[in-house]
Amino acid sequence: MLSNTHFSMAVHVLSALAYNEGELVSSENLARSMGTNPSFLRGLVGQLRDAGLVETRLGKGGGMTLARPADMISLLDVYRVTELKPALATHTCDGSSPCPVAQNMDRLLQDLNRKLEDTVTTELEKITLADLVGTYLR
């Protein structure tokens, strides 16, 4: 759950595309405005393209646009592309430990991860890119 900046950077990319609806936005200009490496950004855009959130056009005059309307892209869509790890990293205890805490820690954290993931999923599903752009950028 939000273990790195990929989610927030992907939201930035998609929000910029929604804000510039209908215009091609170059990865160079976007990387410069975000203060990130263009090569990293192209990798992130590739993930968004593969997930069907972005369309790209190569070559001179190329760039990217949203693959579907901003009101049809939820933050949950973005989260699913960028976040692959559980919210809480667990450590493995020695299975032969007599300690009841050690014996149950994996189950406890797995249950907690499931609850956190359910909450995050529910909330992110409610918010679209159009909501963000309409609230914060218009």
Side-chain angles (χ1 to χ4, degrees), residues 6 12 14 44 62 75 92 100 114:
H6 295 190
H12 187 140
L14 295 169
L44 181 60
L75 293 187
T92 304
R114 197 171 12 265

Side-chain angles (χ1 to χ4, degrees), residues 48-106:
L48 297 171
R49 182 197 59 232
D50 293 347
L53 301 178
V54 169
E55 291 180 350
T56 58
R57 207 175 295 161
L58 300 175
K60 185 174 173 100
M64 62 189 112
T65 61
L66 292 179
R68 55 185 195 246
D71 63 351
M72 299 299 292
I73 300 174
S74 75
L75 293 187
L76 179 58
D77 296 324
V78 183
Y79 180 77
R80 286 183 173 150
V81 172
T82 59
E83 296 300 321
L84 306 173
K85 297 179 181 179
L88 303 171
T90 61
H91 70 281
T92 304
C93 297
D94 179 3
S96 64
S97 174
C99 173
V101 174
Q103 292 171 0
N104 290 289
M105 188 55 62
D106 281 344

